Amino acid sequence: MAVDLTTGSYDKSGVFNKHNEAPKSTPKKSMEDNMVCLKNFQIIKVLKECLSTKSIVVEGRFAEDDKPAIIVIEKTPFDKRDISQLFTSDSRLELKFWNNIYGNYHVYPQTGFNGISVQVIHPATESDFLKFVEVPLVMINETKDLYESIVLPYFKVISEKSQDCTKNSSDEDKTLYKDSGESNSFVLLKDDLDKCLCTNTHFRAKAVVSQKDILSLRCLSAADIPFLIKLQKKCLEELSTKYEVPVSKIESYVPYPPTSFPLHVFFETVEKDSLIPVEKAHSLTTVISNLQLIPDYYQRITLTYSLPESDPLLKSINEHKTD
């Protein structure tokens, strides 16, 4: 006969509690639980701040964890459906100044109105940190000689690598229109930005030419004018119909230096919150006009643009200058 030697006592409800039972361990909080509470985050330094987007990026560590973390903090845009919540007695006003008919206030609305977006990257890798490092820019005056000796060979190498990486990929889900030209054709692809805080009607698309040897703006000549006119006309028509936006509100441009190959022509609504540097965006209409005036215009002129100090192309250009 087995004898239970467990000691204990009964509580008021009649439940027996063992005296020698091992105490239940408190479950350890997971890293996800730790991150939910921002008070467990210790800031090490500010990586980047931007007044235009009302955002700031900080590096730090969570309590009881030595892995680096990045937190992106950004004020969210207003939602016009909830804007009436601002005009209630719950909103506290602090007068900054008053001048005749103009009043300036700081308003502290009720909790939950126009919150703050927080993106957590943990553990953050070196490539994650590089995204938020502000690299100084350098202006480049690309002459005909510089293009032919350094930039064009560089484009060819990058183009071959990018074609190897994308030959097995498919953009069928992004395709808006396919041109079936005999000598040269193009495909129009949806290219919306991952994060855009501009108008609800904003969109961006890109037309990618099929002719692999047209790497950039520099490769265009008067012989390409009919193709460029057709591309612009058809893409504007397709986008205007699909997004119900007048053609007059869509801009078309060719970026230089290019970031992808072969030639890409971008189409985007004129109302947007981020602007491409003026020296890097060449209006397609202006490109066509220049080629009508001078057939080899883009083979002859000097193109000016900026490059980050860490850009591999800038390294090649600097090596050429020292030779």
Side-chain angles (χ1 to χ4, degrees), residues 11 15 135 145 174 255:
D11 60 18
V15 177
V135 181
D145 174 66
K174 297 181 180 180

Side-chain angles (χ1 to χ4, degrees), residues 79-196:
D79 188 338
K80 61 183 179 182
R81 295 171 298 181
D82 299 329
I83 195 67
S84 60
Q85 296 179 27
L86 180 65
F87 304 99
T88 68
S89 59
D90 295 324
S91 296
R92 180 170 62 87
L93 273 68
E94 182 180 297
L95 179 65
K96 303 306 293 183
F97 75 84
W98 184 273
N99 182 15
N100 195 7
I101 63 172
Y102 300 101
N104 193 338
Y105 296 84
H106 273 179
V107 181
Y108 302 92
Q110 59 186 331
T111 302
F113 179 80
N114 195 33
I116 295 176
S117 170
V118 176
Q119 177 189 4
V120 178
I121 305 174
H122 178 272
T125 64
E126 182 179 355
S127 61
D128 292 320
F129 280 97
L130 290 176
K131 297 175 185 176
F132 303 106
V133 174
E134 294 184 343
V135 181
L137 299 177
V138 176
M139 293 303 297
I140 301 297
N141 293 317
E142 185 188 282
T143 62
K144 178 178 181 293
D145 174 66
L146 179 60
Y147 169 73
E148 293 176 348
S149 59
I150 300 298
V151 179
L152 178 57
Y154 176 84
F155 285 170
K156 288 181 177 179
V157 171
I158 300 301
S159 174
E160 291 173 0
K161 291 181 179 179
S162 63
Q163 289 178 29
D164 292 337
C165 294
T166 59
K167 62 182 178 181
N168 295 322
S169 63
S170 175
D171 288 317
E172 289 297 327
D173 57 331
K174 297 181 180 180
T175 302
L176 299 174
Y177 175 78
K178 277 188 177 181
D179 177 63
S180 56
E182 295 182 0
S183 59
N184 195 6
S185 61
F186 65 90
V187 58
L188 180 63
L189 303 173
K190 186 177 180 180
D191 190 48
D192 286 342
L193 299 174
D194 293 333
K195 191 174 187 180
C196 180

Side-chain angles (χ1 to χ4, degrees), residues 231-247:
L231 180 149
Q232 184 182 46
K233 182 175 183 295
K234 190 60 184 178
C235 289
L236 288 175
E237 290 175 352
E238 290 292 327
L239 294 171
S240 177
T241 302
K242 177 176 178 57
Y243 293 103
E244 298 180 349
V245 174
V247 170

